[in-house]
Amino acid sequence: MANLLWLQGGACSGNTMSFLNAEEPSACDLVTDFGINVLWHPSLGMELGDNLQQMLRDCISGKIKLDIFVFEGSVVQAPDGSGEWNRFAGRAMKDWVQELSDVSDFVVAIGDCATWGGIPATAPNPSESVGLQFLKRDHGGFLGRDFKSKAGLPVINIPGCPAHPDWVTQILVGVATGHAGDVTLDEFQRPKTFFQSFTQTGCTRNMHFAYKVSATEFGQRKGCLFYDLGCRGPMTHSPCNRILWNRQSSKTRAGMPCMGCTEPEFPFFDLAPGTVFKTQTVMGVPKDLPEGVDKKGYIKLTGAAKTAAPQWAEEDMFVV
Amino acid sequence: MMEDGLETQTEPFPEDHVQFEAVLKELRDLPKDDLEGKLVVSGFVDHPYGEDDQRCLECMYYLVHRKWCDLPELAVPVEPEWWCRLWRI
């Protein structure tokens, strides 16, 4: 039996909603099949008021063993570092976060706000939000660069806006069943099993990417969303087209550009007008090229792809 | 028209997507069948252009088999060796 506690800071509850929709395994499976005891969760917790405060204090004192501490949302430090803008159970949430992280075997950050600060940390960041161990790409965050939980791991970051429900439950099962050693992390502390491939991996529009045929409107069935509509699929580490949403779709499959929400910079360009759903270019060349491709190679590749493009690549091959 | 030496507006080349959008807006204001206006505003020339010999063939909007510019604001027949200032790769 592994005790799990889930708290929520500066957040929209999106990751909680996502978690409750998990299927492989489901939130119920965590309890019934994998021996996870959910001590408290914002949507599931039974304790209220003094009882909740007592339970949190018991976790900190060690009376209740805390195996997994899950945090959703940014750590709000405003005003002036006091954290008073986000109070929970009688004190600043950030103080609970610090003390619970210190006593927990594993600390798991769920969603962009908890991992990198996310939208709340976007400039000018009035809530002084940070992620648990990162602020955007800067290592450090609220707990500091050197933080390690009692099991010796840094914060396990599961980003996304929201994180896919099955990424969350599968990592929780791995940790709770003694397989944390199998969870290897990348430089941003994301589990490699999910975040080593790209959103583009498995995208049904890959043939249009290859032959440089562009989609120019949302929902268009033909064409790649990278060239005009700002899709970040070739630069974003996520398995969105391998582990599908609702088991059947993804943004790009539905004709919506990937917004790169599993990367530390999300939301890109601080949401400045004209930067969302628009491919940024410099003298006609995309500002952000697919990872590992340089400008010279990209131009050569384009010439070859255009020359080799078959006729069907220019046609709408889908028949209703 | 191109062979007859139509003078088009090749400069300035849009350096970023904001300037690109500005040219598109000019095109949107033209009547749909104003072919000459489209050629002038988009700055077409009937040969490769610039240091890198940019041409329609490598442009994102060029449809090889139809010899057609697929940029919605243009939608004109083009040759692979042409170029315009809305060139984008």
Side-chain angles (χ1 to χ4, degrees), chain A residues 296-318:
Chain A
K296 203 174 167 185
Y298 184 78
I299 291 173
K300 277 186 187 170
L301 188 68
T302 303
K306 277 284 183 188
T307 306
Q311 188 154 352
W312 56 255
E314 294 175 3
E315 295 166 356
D316 188 350
M317 67 187 69
F318 297 99

Side-chain angles (χ1 to χ4, degrees), chain A residues 202-262:
Chain A
C203 177
T204 50
R205 293 165 187 269
N206 270 341
M207 55 195 175
H208 293 125
F209 175 81
Y211 292 123
K212 312 288 178 199
V213 177
S214 180
T216 48
E217 290 175 18
F218 284 2
Q220 230 172 28
R221 293 179 299 179
K222 181 196 81 170
C224 175
L225 300 149
F226 167 70
Y227 301 113
D228 273 294
L229 297 175
C231 181
R232 303 198 63 87
M235 293 83 77
T236 299
H237 298 84
S238 97
C240 285
N241 278 304
R242 291 193 291 123
I243 300 174
L244 299 176
W245 290 77
N246 296 321
R247 309 253 76 79
Q248 61 181 299
S249 194
S250 69
K251 283 192 180 69
T252 61
R253 289 183 184 203
M256 152 85 189
C258 164
M259 297 174 75
C261 77
T262 52

Side-chain angles (χ1 to χ4, degrees), chain A residues 162-184:
Chain A
H164 189 291
D166 296 345
W167 309 342
V168 176
T169 54
Q170 287 177 30
I171 289 299
L172 292 180
V173 164
V175 169
T177 55
H179 293 281
D182 298 333
V183 181
T184 53

